[in-house]
Amino acid sequence: MQLLKVIARVLEYPTDELQASKDALIAAVLEDNRLPRQNKEQLLRCIDLVCDGDLLDMQENYVGTFDKGRATSLLLFEHVHGESRDRGQAMVDLMEQYRANGLEIDAKELPDYLPLFLEYLSTRPWEEIRNWLEDIHHILGLLGERLYQRESLYHVLMDSLLVLSGREANRQELAQIVASEERDDTPEALDKVWEEEMVKFVDDQGSSCSTGGVVGQRRRELEQTQTIHLSDQLMTDATPRQAGGA
């Protein structure tokens, strides 16, 4: 499903390659027959902004949006399990799902990274795609609302995924939940996390704090912003704000 590949690409760290693929991305959106017209228009606008904007500005905006704090993390299981041991098992299970369907990912990639997950889904039958998206619709809804309240252009990507999931989002309820949350991407919040990490000299496995916990995890995630695609021809075969209930 080419549309999922488009969303995956736009959710990645902006690069020259991404901006150069604008025409192929637009063509794939226009050819899609599942997304309503309004969502298509919003998605096309998002592609325009990402591909036509100054690359350095887009990269700075991306890091500020997705790599500061947990609330807008693109690591799915972080929103469900945090740093608990359950997250590790969930990633193992997802990795096995990938392998069972012929996907081997690079060792540096985390299997719950949303762009990678979407690329995997793009190779699956429609019913399976919809079931998976339905399973994570609550994460997509919260991500979309958080991005919307932060005036981020990326919120339309989550809205599109929600539409494809077939689940309606209660926008009023989501807005109330997000409005009540304490922002975790402010300088004060980030300083607090850093201070907590500084006193955590040894993590649960006895390793250095420089590789464990939130700060170490954030550094690793910044190094993992570009996914290993399922194919070098991700878009070569692509030719000529409101989800349901909004």
Side-chain angles (χ1 to χ4, degrees):
M1 186 179 184
Q2 286 293 327
L3 184 63
L4 290 183
K5 292 185 179 182
V6 170
I7 296 174
R9 289 294 304 275
V10 180
L11 271 176
E12 292 180 359
Y13 184 74
T15 62
D16 288 324
E17 180 186 8
L18 172 62
Q19 293 191 327
S21 68
K22 176 183 175 180
D23 290 344
L25 296 171
I26 290 176
V29 173
L30 293 176
E31 290 182 356
D32 174 75
N33 60 5
R34 296 189 184 277
L35 202 61
R37 177 178 178 180
Q38 183 176 14
N39 293 96
K40 278 190 177 184
E41 292 175 349
Q42 293 174 337
L43 182 53
L44 291 171
R45 176 58 177 161
C46 182
I47 293 172
D48 282 339
L49 292 172
V50 171
C51 293
D52 293 340
D54 179 81
L55 182 58
L56 291 179
D57 288 343
M58 292 297 101
Q59 291 173 338
E60 181 180 3
N61 174 65
Y62 184 93
V63 171
T65 300
F66 295 115
D67 293 315
K68 292 183 178 179
R70 295 184 181 277
T72 55
S73 171
L74 293 178
L75 298 175
L76 294 172
F77 293 149
E78 186 167 297
H79 298 284
V80 180
H81 303 296
E83 290 191 329
S84 71
R85 294 180 184 274
D86 291 338
R87 182 184 178 194
Q89 184 58 54
M91 286 197 290
V92 169
D93 293 342
L94 184 57
M95 183 75 78
E96 288 303 313
Q97 183 77 25
Y98 289 166
R99 288 172 177 165
N101 289 291
L103 171 63
E104 291 287 345
I105 65 175
D106 191 280
K108 70 180 181 180
E109 283 304 326
L110 297 178
D112 62 336
Y113 181 50
L114 181 55
L116 177 61
F117 179 68
L118 293 176
E119 288 191 37
Y120 164 72
L121 289 188
S122 72
T123 68
R124 309 304 302 156
W126 166 244
E127 287 303 317
E128 184 176 340
I129 291 172
R130 188 158 188 168
N131 288 339
W132 274 108
L133 292 179
E134 185 178 9
D135 284 345
I136 64 170
H137 80 276
H138 57 293
I139 300 176
L140 299 174
L142 281 172
L143 276 173
E145 185 61 31
R146 287 165 182 157
L147 292 168
Y148 177 73
Q149 291 196 20
R150 297 181 188 192
E151 300 182 342
S152 170
L153 59 90
Y154 290 102
H155 80 85
V156 302
L157 304 178
M158 304 305 164
D159 291 346
S160 295
L161 292 173
L162 268 179
V163 170
L164 294 175
S165 77
R167 295 293 295 265
E168 295 186 357
N170 187 325
R171 296 296 184 187
Q172 184 175 4
E173 180 180 346
L174 288 173
Q176 292 175 347
I177 292 174
V178 174
S180 68
E181 296 175 338
E182 184 177 353
R183 290 281 293 259
D184 64 355
D185 62 334
T186 63
E188 294 78 14
L190 294 172
D191 285 344
K192 182 179 180 180
V193 171
W194 176 255
E195 291 169 359
E196 291 173 351
E197 287 296 317
M198 287 296 289
V199 300
K200 186 179 178 183
F201 294 108
V202 179
D203 65 16
D204 293 339
Q205 284 71 45
S207 59
S208 169
C209 66
S210 64
T211 57
V214 177
V215 172
Q217 181 179 340
R218 284 291 153 212
R219 189 182 63 219
R220 293 193 300 274
E221 290 170 18
L222 283 171
E223 296 170 350
Q224 295 166 356
T225 51
Q226 297 186 44
T227 68
I228 301 299
H229 300 305
L230 297 176
S231 168
D232 291 336
Q233 297 181 339
L234 177 61
M235 292 307 302
T236 57
D237 55 345
T239 57
R241 153 75 195 174
Q242 293 183 359

